[in-house]
Amino acid sequence: MKYPEAMQAIATEKALSFLGLTARKNGSYLNFPCIDCGNESAIRYYGERKNVAYCSTCKAGTNIIAMAVKLKGIDFQEAKKLLVEKTATTEETIQEKLSLKYELEFTIDMEKEGLSKELCDTVGVGRPKGKTMLSGCIAFTIHNETGLKVAYYGIRISDRRPKFHQSFNPELYLFAYHVADKNEEVLVTTDMFSCLRHLAQGEQAICNFGLPYLSSRQMELLSPFPYITFEWLFTDKKDIMLNVAQNLKAYHRFV
Ligand SMILES: [Zn+2]
C-alpha cells in the first residue's frame, strides 16, 4: 500500500493503542503524550490530514508511521505495513445476511433516553438477552442500503462508547438508511438515540453512528436526497459544512 492510502487506512485510535500510547478524543483530534517530550500532543483521526500529528511543546509535526518507526525501532516501510496490518478497518461492505440473532429487550435505560418501545421493536433496537458480545450495551440492528441485515452496533450504557464486531466498518453504512424515502426530506443526526426519537415522531432520520465526519461512502449514500437537515452535535462544524457544500447538491442546513 502506498503512503497516502496507508495514512487513510490506518485507524488512528487503534494505532496509538498498539504503540502503547493512551489517547483521548478532543473534537477532531486525539490527544496523546508526545513520544519526544511527553507533553500533550494532537493527531487528526479522519479527513485529509488523518494520522498527522503536532506537538506544540516540540513545535514539530510528525505522523503515525514515523512514530511507529521511533517506538518500534523499525524502518518506515516496515512500520507502514505493520500499522496497516494491525489496525486497518475493512473497506468492504458486508454482502451476506447476518445469521446471528439477538433477542432484544426494551429496558428502563432506553425509556430514560426517551425512546419508544414500539419504534425500538420495529427497527430492532434493544438490550440483548443473555451473554453476548454486546452485553451491557443497547444494540442496534444494522441493515445495508438494500435492507439486508448485516450487523449489530452497540452503545455501552455505562459510558456510551460504541462497540461492534471488526467486520463492520461504520463508515460504510448509515443507520436507518434503507427505510428512508430518498425523494423526501431527511434529518441526518450524529446521535443514535436522537435518530430513534425523530423516527418515533414519524420523521425521516438517519444516523452516521456518531462519527464527527461523513465518509465518502456516506456522502455518496446521501446524494439522492433533495433536502437534508444536519443535526450535528459537535462544536466544530467547519470541516463538515465545507465537506457537505462541496459534495452534496441537496439543499441543506445545520441545526
Ligand atoms: Zn513534544
Side-chain angles (χ1 to χ4, degrees):
M1 197 181 277
K2 286 188 180 142
Y3 172 73
E5 283 97 73
M7 287 286 275
Q8 284 301 315
I10 294 165
T12 316
E13 205 169 2
K14 269 196 208 168
L16 290 172
S17 145
F18 174 69
L19 296 175
L21 300 164
T22 28
R24 189 173 50 82
K25 275 212 171 102
N26 181 8
S28 44
Y29 292 90
L30 287 166
N31 287 128
F32 68 98
C34 168
I35 64 166
D36 291 317
C37 72
N39 285 333
E40 193 173 75
S41 176
I43 188 165
R44 275 292 288 239
Y45 63 95
Y46 62 87
E48 263 173 57
R49 294 177 57 76
K50 184 175 177 183
N51 286 317
V52 173
Y54 184 76
C55 173
S56 53
T57 309
C58 298
K59 298 211 180 340
T62 181
N63 67 64
I64 197 77
I65 304 171
M67 282 159 58
V69 167
K70 275 197 185 176
L71 291 169
K72 298 278 178 194
I74 50 180
D75 74 27
F76 197 83
Q77 290 305 323
E78 280 177 290
K80 188 179 73 180
K81 190 160 168 269
L82 184 67
L83 289 179
V84 169
E85 275 171 11
K86 295 286 179 189
T87 78
T89 42
T90 176
E91 286 304 315
E92 278 170 36
T93 52
I94 302 164
Q95 298 299 337
E96 258 171 65
K97 185 174 190 279
L98 183 72
S99 53
L100 181 70
K101 192 177 186 310
Y102 289 154
E103 203 182 325
L104 301 171
E105 265 183 313
F106 188 77
T107 64
I108 186 85
D109 303 300
M110 296 166 67
E111 203 178 319
K112 278 187 204 153
E113 293 289 345
L115 305 183
S116 130
K117 179 177 187 308
E118 198 190 336
L119 190 268
C120 288
D121 289 348
T122 312
V123 296
V125 175
R127 183 95 177 246
K129 276 191 190 170
K131 198 165 165 46
T132 72
M133 185 196 150
L134 295 183
S135 293
C137 294
I138 294 173
F140 294 74
T141 308
I142 309 303
H143 300 84
N144 70 4
E145 71 269 27
T146 62
L148 187 73
K149 175 181 164 184
V150 291
Y152 284 108
Y153 173 88
I155 294 181
R156 207 152 61 185
I157 295 156
S158 57
D159 57 7
R160 290 195 165 233
R161 280 182 77 95
K163 205 173 172 192
F164 46 86
H165 191 265
Q166 60 178 19
S167 61
F168 173 74
N169 177 358
E171 289 188 345
L172 306 179
Y173 308 87
L174 287 166
F175 175 66
Y177 181 81
H178 67 295
V179 290
D181 181 344
K182 277 73 184 174
N183 297 310
E184 295 290 329
E185 176 176 355
V186 71
L187 176 105
V188 176
T189 175
T190 54
D191 183 312
M192 294 293 273
F193 296 126
S194 174
C195 185
L196 294 175
R197 288 189 290 267
H198 283 284
L199 287 170
Q201 300 287 322
E203 293 167 41
Q204 293 219 101
I206 284 173
C207 184
N208 76 337
F209 304 102
L211 299 170
Y213 57 95
L214 288 170
S215 68
S216 49
R217 173 68 186 142
Q218 289 170 334
M219 207 62 96
E220 196 183 309
L221 288 171
L222 291 177
S223 62
F225 291 97
Y227 194 99
I228 307 176
T229 300
F230 289 95
E231 182 184 64
W232 207 258
L233 303 168
F234 292 94
T235 36
D236 185 1
K237 295 189 181 66
K238 217 173 59 207
D239 287 0
I240 185 67
M241 287 172 102
L242 186 67
N243 200 4
V244 165
Q246 284 172 344
N247 291 290
L248 289 179
K249 287 196 190 87
Y251 289 100
H252 62 269
R253 64 187 177 119
F254 281 80
V255 294

